Amino acid sequence: MAQEIYSQEAALSPDINCCSSEPITTTRSVRSSRTFVNINDMRRVRDDMPWKLWVVALIAFWERAAFWGITGPWQNYMQHPPHYQEGQTPGALGLGQSMATRLYCAFYILYYTTPTIFAIVADSWLGHFKTLIISVAIYTLGCAALAVSSIPSQLDKGWGLPGLIVAMIMIALGGGGFRAIVIPFIADQYTEEKSIIKTLKSGEKVVTDRQLTLQYIYNLYFWVGNVGSLSWFLTVYLELHSGFTTAYVLCLVFMVVATIMLFIGQRWYIKPPHEGNVLPAATKIITCACRNGFKMANAQPEYQLAHRQRTVSWTGQLVDEVTRGLKACRVLIAFIVFYVCFDQMQNNLISQNAQMETNGTPNDLVGAMNQVGCIIFAPLIQEVLYPFLHRRRIYLRPVTRITIGFCFVASSMLYATLIQHFIYTSGEVKINVWIATPLYFLLAIGEVFAVVTAMEYAYDHSPKDMKAVVQAVSLLIAGVGSAVAMALTPAAHDPLMVAFYGSLTGVMVLTTIIFYIIFRHYDGFVTNDEEEPAVRSPSQVQSGADVNEGAVGVFLHGNTVSGATPVEAKKLADVEIKSIV
């Protein structure tokens, strides 16, 4: 059934629709007319980005620059001995490949698991912004510890490994906390809840879509972070020509800049009010569901009263929100295998690069092509592919996008398998290291589709007061992937690497197939925000009364949508008409 909105007065807006390639002219005049709008036939577009969101994205840029600038040289820093000669791979601690890989994986396990602590503190006690400040402070101290302990004189005194461990712990704590909180924090800067109908200069009417806007926000966050990660190129160059200390001091400067920006802008950031700790209630709901047949519906207050003669302290709305959050966590579990494959880029693939002809290129520099790929393909996918599909009314839902990402990651592991085979069979003739570039591009495309969607999905499906906790669960799943990767390190050695990468390829393909079979029906679900916009009569809007669930008309900016059923009315209620002439 066509859904039509009737309006006698269309309010005009100076907003600019950046999702469309067609320019919009604006005016402050208002035209009175009888306007019918069929939103079913409208193309959906993203909304505009507030400036505060761009500032938070810039802070994330500096944090990612520090993170990748530090971790980029780590494999060499740990694996190879110090006092290397010209032409040799730089090193500091001389721990060997296996031990260096274990430490690297252990860092990521800590990095992905400790955010749970910060998330609980943020959602139940201090709020997002204060916890973000604490995370950044710990992070900066960790960078300082690494820079000091990497000084050659300190390495000679044996402080290199203890300093590295202290730095790893602090960076994992601060960086993990930052990651879990900044992801919901950046989306919090976008506060528009209503859809807005706009008319392009071409005459086409489009409607802004919050889901597409969130998708753009996290693509922006992902892209900006990858631009920051280009510091990898700089730090591995400094590692080779100036030493590790210079590289790590630069990363310390990056975090100082991020800290200053966070403090200076605190008066302007959107900081949602902390409305109490819902974690105990959520825990009780899950426990209640487990005791009643492991069905979340059985935790509803109505069910408990009717079947258990028990009055519970939580609301049905909170049960629905927790249920959605648990569904999101189920979807994210599949990322365990994804991160096992992704972690190869941080260790074993660096060692693979060292087996090829580098012609003076640092072996840990080639992996930065992953960031280059993210920078190239993220805007192409967001600004070219998605609009191309949207103009044809094709909207890729989250599970579909994640599945596409998984396919690309599986392809990257297949490519690594082929490279390793050529390394073993080429004999004395080494293949050029840059032949590995497509591998990192495949990983990059996989990240754009899967990782960005995971952030969006976790934010959109988490309870209002548990945003950081659900993001922390997402990072925890990544930590499990790192733990599995660490458990596989005994098998990651020559001459078994072809079988190693081949096995990862097979497992990733199997995961992709199973994931899509199990969760493809989730793409048919619509979030609560889309299902249940507020429906109020004119008198209710003026008085601030609660939503009338039985309303058959929708009051919209002083106008009534007539002829709508209750279901249609609920779907149309929060659409704001803005006619640009």
Side-chain angles (χ1 to χ4, degrees):
M1 178 184 296
Q3 297 177 350
E4 294 186 337
I5 298 178
Y6 165 70
S7 174
Q8 289 182 325
E9 185 175 87
L12 305 184
S13 168
D15 291 343
I16 302 299
N17 174 18
C18 300
C19 187
S20 173
S21 58
E22 303 176 16
I24 296 177
T25 58
T26 64
T27 179
R28 289 289 182 179
S29 66
V30 177
R31 174 181 297 173
S32 296
S33 62
R34 297 173 62 86
T35 305
F36 288 89
V37 181
N38 189 336
I39 64 173
N40 276 348
D41 294 334
M42 285 185 184
R43 179 161 59 94
R44 291 186 281 134
V45 298
R46 70 167 177 86
D47 203 353
D48 308 305
M49 299 295 106
W51 67 268
K52 294 181 285 292
L53 190 147
W54 288 98
V55 174
V56 176
L58 186 57
I59 293 172
F61 163 84
W62 291 115
E63 185 275 332
R64 289 290 87 187
F67 182 84
W68 287 103
I70 287 171
T71 57
W74 255 356
Q75 184 74 11
N76 283 346
Y77 184 78
M78 294 184 286
Q79 177 176 340
H80 300 289
H83 309 302
Y84 55 91
Q85 298 177 354
E86 185 70 25
Q88 293 181 327
T89 303
L93 302 182
L95 301 177
Q97 179 178 344
S98 181
M99 179 58 70
T101 300
R102 286 192 182 96
L103 280 175
Y104 206 108
C105 290
F107 165 78
Y108 270 98
I109 292 171
L110 190 63
Y111 175 76
Y112 287 129
T113 54
T114 55
T116 306
I117 301 172
F118 286 88
I120 292 174
V121 170
D123 282 340
S124 62
W125 183 25
L126 295 180
H128 289 178
F129 185 76
K130 291 181 180 178
T131 312
L132 195 60
I133 292 289
I134 294 173
S135 299
V136 168
I138 297 174
Y139 198 150
T140 305
L141 291 175
C143 293
L146 181 63
V148 172
S149 63
S150 67
I151 297 173
S153 61
Q154 300 301 315
L155 292 174
D156 292 338
K157 294 177 181 179
W159 286 106
L161 183 58
L164 174 68
I165 293 174
V166 170
M168 279 184 161
I169 292 173
M170 298 188 75
I171 293 171
L173 286 170
F178 180 92
R179 181 86 179 272
I181 298 168
V182 79
I183 291 175
F185 187 70
I186 190 172
D188 288 341
Q189 306 310 303
Y190 175 73
T191 58
E192 182 61 65
E193 295 290 341
K194 295 180 180 179
S195 295
I196 302 171
I197 295 176
K198 300 179 179 179
T199 303
L200 305 182
K201 187 176 181 180
S202 63
E204 179 190 7
K205 285 184 171 59
V206 295
V207 57
T208 61
D209 187 285
R210 181 172 174 81
Q211 302 304 313
L212 294 182
T213 305
L214 287 177
Q215 178 182 315
Y216 179 85
I217 288 171
Y218 284 119
N219 266 290
L220 171 65
Y221 170 80
F222 178 79
W223 184 81
V224 168
N226 278 282
V227 173
S229 70
L230 292 179
S231 62
W232 184 332
F233 283 98
L234 182 57
T235 56
V236 297
Y237 178 86
L238 292 174
E239 158 203 343
L240 181 63
H241 297 283
S242 300
F244 290 99
T245 303
T246 305
Y248 292 145
V249 167
L250 179 63
C251 296
L252 173 60
V253 172
F254 292 156
M255 280 309 302
V256 170
V257 173
T259 303
I260 293 173
M261 289 186 63
L262 193 61
F263 269 102
I264 291 178
Q266 61 180 310
R267 60 183 294 185
W268 294 292
Y269 300 135
I270 301 296
K271 293 175 275 190
H274 186 62
E275 298 181 356
N277 184 6
V278 301
L279 291 178
T283 303
K284 291 178 181 178
I285 290 171
I286 296 173
T287 303
C288 180
C290 293
R291 291 174 176 174
N292 289 267
F294 292 91
K295 296 180 179 180
M296 293 298 294
N298 294 348
Q300 290 283 356
E302 297 84 357
Y303 180 93
Q304 288 294 307
L305 183 61
H307 294 81
R308 297 289 185 268
Q309 291 74 49
R310 177 189 174 202
T311 302
V312 296
S313 58
W314 55 82
T315 64
Q317 180 182 355
L318 183 57
V319 175
D320 292 338
E321 290 182 354
V322 173
T323 301
R324 291 178 63 220
L326 291 176
K327 285 183 178 179
C329 293
R330 286 186 63 196
V331 169
L332 298 175
I333 288 175
F335 278 81
I336 291 175
V337 179
F338 174 95
Y339 281 108
V340 171
C341 297
F342 181 80
D343 273 9
Q344 304 309 308
M345 186 180 67
Q346 317 299 333
N347 40 67
N348 289 319
L349 290 178
I350 292 177
S351 300
Q352 183 187 74
N353 294 338
Q355 295 177 309
M356 293 186 276
E357 182 60 55
T358 62
N359 294 318
T361 301
N363 67 308
D364 50 359
L365 178 64
V366 183
M369 296 307 296
N370 171 258
Q371 280 71 34
V372 174
C374 291
I375 293 169
I376 294 173
F377 292 111
L380 285 177
I381 292 171
Q382 176 64 46
E383 300 294 342
V384 179
L385 176 62
Y386 288 157
F388 173 82
L389 295 175
H390 296 167
R391 283 192 292 270
R392 287 152 181 82
R393 305 304 190 266
I394 300 173
Y395 301 93
L396 297 179
R397 301 289 290 173
V399 171
T400 301
R401 281 182 273 143
I402 292 173
T403 303
I404 294 171
F406 284 1
C407 290
F408 278 99
V409 172
S411 300
S412 72
M413 290 298 99
L414 176 61
Y415 194 86
T417 305
L418 296 175
I419 290 179
Q420 195 65 49
H421 172 73
F422 290 140
I423 290 173
Y424 286 160
T425 58
S426 61
E428 296 182 358
V429 180
K430 291 186 175 182
I431 60 177
N432 191 283
V433 71
W434 291 107
I435 200 173
T437 300
L439 186 160
Y440 297 102
F441 281 0
L442 290 169
L443 277 172
I445 298 173
E447 286 183 81
V448 173
F449 279 106
V451 174
V452 173
T453 304
M455 290 188 291
E456 167 200 337
Y457 198 77
Y459 179 86
D460 190 47
H461 286 73
S462 56
K464 181 178 61 175
D465 294 319
M466 294 178 61
K467 298 292 186 184
V469 168
V470 175
Q471 290 294 343
V473 170
S474 177
L475 294 175
L476 180 63
I477 289 170
V480 174
S482 291
V484 174
M486 184 172 68
L488 295 175
T489 53
H493 61 83
D494 293 325
L496 303 178
M497 294 306 297
V498 171
F500 181 82
Y501 291 127
S503 299
L504 289 180
T505 302
V507 173
M508 191 68 232
V509 169
L510 184 62
T511 299
T512 303
I513 295 172
I514 295 174
F515 172 81
Y516 188 71
I517 291 174
I518 294 177
F519 296 114
R520 68 185 187 278
H521 66 283
Y522 278 24
D523 276 349
F525 292 164
V526 184
T527 64
N528 285 353
D529 290 340
E530 293 173 306
E531 287 181 339
E532 301 180 357
V535 180
R536 303 184 183 211
S537 66
S539 60
Q540 287 174 326
V541 172
Q542 293 172 358
S543 63
D546 292 336
V547 172
N548 178 6
E549 297 293 341
V552 295
V554 179
F555 180 69
L556 185 60
H557 293 285
N559 306 288
T560 302
V561 181
S562 58
T565 66
V567 173
E568 291 171 339
K570 289 171 64 118
K571 289 182 178 179
L572 302 179
D574 275 348
V575 179
E576 178 181 350
I577 297 180
K578 293 193 176 182
S579 176
I580 312 301
V581 297

